[in-house]
Amino acid sequence: MAAVAPFIRIDGLTKRYPGVTALEDVSLHIERGEVHALIGENGAGKSTLIKVLSGATRADEGRIEVEGEEVNFASPAAARARGIVGIFQELAIESYMDVTSNIVLGNEPTHGPGGQILAFGRADTRAREALDRLGARNVGVKRRAGRLGTAQKQLVEIARSIAMDAPLIIMDEPTASLPGSDAENLLRIIMELRGRGTTILFVSHRLDEVRAVADRVTVLRNGRHVCTEQASEMPVERMIERMVGRPLDEVYLPPETEPGEVRFRANGLTRAGAFEDVSFEVRSGEVLGFSGLIGAGRSEVMRAIAGADRLDAGSIEIDGKTVRVRRPTDAIRAGIAYLPEDRKEQGLVLTMSCRENMALPSLRRFSRAGLVRGRRVRDRTDDIARRLQVRGNVDAAAKTLSGGNQQKLVIAKWMLTEPQVLIFDEPTRGIDVGAKPEVYRLMHELAARGAAVIVVSSELPEVMNVSHRMIVMSRGRVTDRLDRADFDEERILTAAFAGHARTRTDTKAA
Amino acid sequence: MMTDDSGQAVKAPAPPPGASGTPAPETRGGGRRVVGFVREHLDADSLRQAGLPLAVLALIIYFTVQSSVFLTITNFQNVGLQAAALALVSFGQCFVILTAGIDLSVGSTVALVSVVCATVMKDHGIVAGILAALATGLVVGVVNGGVVTRLRVVPFVATLAMLSIASGLALSISDGTPVTGLPDSFTNIAQDRVGDVPVPVIISVALFFVAWFVLRITRFGRHVYAVGGNEEAARLSGVRVQTVILAAYVMCSLFAAAGALILTARVASGQPTLGASIALESVTAVVLGGVSLFGGRGSVVGVAFGVAFVSILGNGLNLLGVSSYTQMLILGLALIAVLAIDRQIGRDRKEAGT
């Protein structure tokens, strides 16, 4: 008897974009009823693979079989017809329509022949049932979808695939934009769907989550298939090593420089409702880490220093001189560079070339007598792009790069300004593990040249490894200050939770 | 993580603006269902601009006070006649604008349809003429939609090109002169009445219900909104986006053809310069009616009010002896004023958190 064909068989899939091969000869299979996780660094090809599989884009080579039958999806509609539904990061929500219309969109129940007259009652029932199955009883079907929160929008999208009884649901980083409890709820839903026989393929950067729900894990690197293994046999460390292709201790680089004179000093910074009486100093050549929970006020302090928000009280000194920062241009002139968390949104002119984007704030320094020195721009941007491992053509528009590479561009851009005070807010969020060491190396290099570096990070290993000293904040106040010798996970967490009731979820997130 | 469990506080769904504060009168059984149905489908978006109906009312009151002939049956028949063609073109325009497109070619489509229809009709009779008119509309719509969806030309440019092409064709076919010799039984449509209501008004009201029905009750209509609201979301949900857009342009040109038939009957000839100003007027009426130029929002009910506003304003100013040059100026200012008020209302509503 011949072996039963797997649910989905992917064979030799290749997809090329101008300048980049996103997928190269990728083969794997997905069994019916399993939860299959797809992991890899940014640009590894995960998104491309699931786009091909769900009909959002077409592969150049290779074949896909569903239950032994070759398919070639020309559109998401075609993939849906075979029971494959993709849920993407950019949520496909019709903001002006109500929840029901969103859930039945493309699959509306209708009356009579011709299938054109909408059956409103049945649509509501179907939407309600799908939401109830997800435990989303608090999402009203008549509400306008645009007014829902992110987690609820995501539930609406999942309800859409449930309403059509899709045997395979593909999710692209379903928990990326969800706070802890919503993310846990979603994982519970994934397990429930699996219990009903639905097959799930999902992409995630949260490896502990992959461990928790996946049956099997496929790792991609540089568009190639690295391995597919049982999740139970793959600890997180091993996943990372497979993704990066090198041992873990080469990722987080410790600081190299001995700090010098005090370069930056904050005295009693206060902004009502956000933070209170925050004082600290950073020496030239020093990396100061800021740890704490999300919402502890760390980013708010940095935004105020960078002139994005007003301070109610307190002062800022650079090299002993008081600096008045009222708006971002004041900060830039004073030599303060702030790399916000949300780099893509705030940092790039997507239609301009990567090179132009990187050079934008430094043009003055790249010019002589008002004329931009093209060669100097080229050399410097080439250099930094190479070191940050920006994947893609630097002369192409910034929008042609993947999300992670766009983030690198923003980092490159501010690094080129050679600031006195450099503030990184979540410096490696959304950046591949492989490029992380490059970010740290550049960070340390800028410190070595005399800059004061501040790193706000929710990733504890990161902040513990790369900083000289650390400040912990909780509820808008500084709750602890530690020297590198005293760095201790338990002590940091205690300070981070000062004033909070500590729960299991919180611990995991910190 | 420290963020809220629920992400956002759940707010009670807001009542539609028109219905707030005035609960529907208690009705029994079927009556209540009808009220519920009407509310559901004629709600928020339809009355997104409670301001516009009020503006129409204000115009009526103002002109009634200013002119003794304004509020008469004869004058309203007049307004209705003038509004009928604009209404039809605007309803069609509404389909295209809801998909986030625009059809600038409706004016020359009207001219082309008029000329083709008259040319066919004078030799082959009324039915052939009307069929030729609709066929012409169909072809124009398919070409517009095809250029937009297949050649991926932006709607503004695609229909600008069609504006020139259709106009050129109309002038070539007619040699630049009116095509006369239409049967009386056709031209009489423009003069005939049922009771006090002119036939063109009846036609446009009937087609209003067709447009309303298609947009609100059919799958295609729902997809028109979906494509305009979020094209990518629609595509990923399995909506055939290109087909929907193409069909919207076809609807637009077919409605324009219907408008052209009424205008042709009124002027009793095929005119190659008919409808010169109707493209801009229709966009004005649609935008006044609360349909977003970005697509996905608005309704044909609002468009009907937009048409009423434009038509009543024009008629009243005529009665007051305001020159047509000044009228154009006033219409432009009125457009800005209504939109500014709408923005203001929209902003208040947003701040109120509804």
Side-chain angles (χ1 to χ4, degrees), chain A residues 57-137:
Chain A
T57 185
R58 277 177 120 151
D60 298 319
E61 287 164 36
R63 56 189 277 149
I64 300 173
E65 287 174 17
V66 178
E67 295 175 313
E69 191 186 317
E70 181 165 4
V71 293
N72 191 356
F73 299 134
S75 67
R80 278 166 177 257
R82 286 307 303 254
I84 301 176
V85 177
I87 298 171
F88 297 95
Q89 266 172 288
E90 299 80 17
L91 290 178
I93 288 291
E94 291 283 353
S95 307
Y96 304 131
M97 290 187 168
D98 64 16
V99 168
T100 292
S101 303
N102 267 285
I103 290 177
V104 299
L105 185 60
N107 194 30
E108 296 87 350
T110 51
H111 287 300
Q116 275 297 333
I117 313 297
L118 295 172
F120 289 98
R122 251 190 298 149
D124 280 342
T125 314
R126 194 187 281 182
R128 186 71 269 160
E129 278 170 12
L131 285 168
D132 286 352
R133 274 174 68 182
L134 291 175
R137 279 167 228 287

Side-chain angles (χ1 to χ4, degrees), chain A residues 19-20 58 100 182 184 324 375 380 478 490 499 508:
Chain A
V20 196
R58 277 177 120 151
T100 292
D182 285 330
E184 280 194 2
R324 301 200 67 175
R375 181 145 174 204
R380 296 298 311 275
V478 174
E490 193 56 37
K508 206 164 79 184

Side-chain angles (χ1 to χ4, degrees), chain A residues 55-57 75-77 80 86 88 90-98 101-102 105-108 110 115-118 120 124 138 142-144 147-152 160 178-182 206 293-295 500 505-506 509, chain B residues 1-14 37 40-41 44-45 48 213 215-240 292 294-297 349 353-354:
Chain A
T57 185
S75 67
R80 278 166 177 257
F88 297 95
E90 299 80 17
L91 290 178
I93 288 291
E94 291 283 353
S95 307
Y96 304 131
M97 290 187 168
D98 64 16
S101 303
N102 267 285
L105 185 60
N107 194 30
E108 296 87 350
T110 51
Q116 275 297 333
I117 313 297
L118 295 172
F120 289 98
D124 280 342
N138 62 336
K142 285 294 176 200
R143 288 180 66 193
R144 215 215 266 176
R147 292 185 185 143
L148 300 174
T150 309
Q152 291 174 322
R160 196 184 276 165
L178 299 182
S181 57
D182 285 330
R206 295 189 182 173
L293 304 175
I294 290 167
H500 289 282
T505 339
D506 288 337
Chain B
M1 302 238 178
M2 282 299 304
T3 7
D4 254 358
D5 288 6
S6 58
Q8 277 174 21
V10 180
K11 288 182 186 112
F37 182 84
E40 199 167 292
H41 298 288
D45 268 346
R48 199 162 77 81
F213 181 85
L215 283 175
R216 276 288 159 194
I217 315 287
T218 70
R219 201 170 135 88
F220 164 66
R222 185 55 54 93
H223 290 177
V224 167
Y225 280 92
V227 167
N230 184 345
E231 186 172 325
E232 189 61 9
R235 191 175 82 93
L236 291 174
S237 306
V239 173
R240 293 177 193 284
S292 164
F294 299 110
R297 310 175 76 176
R349 220 174 274 158
T354 56

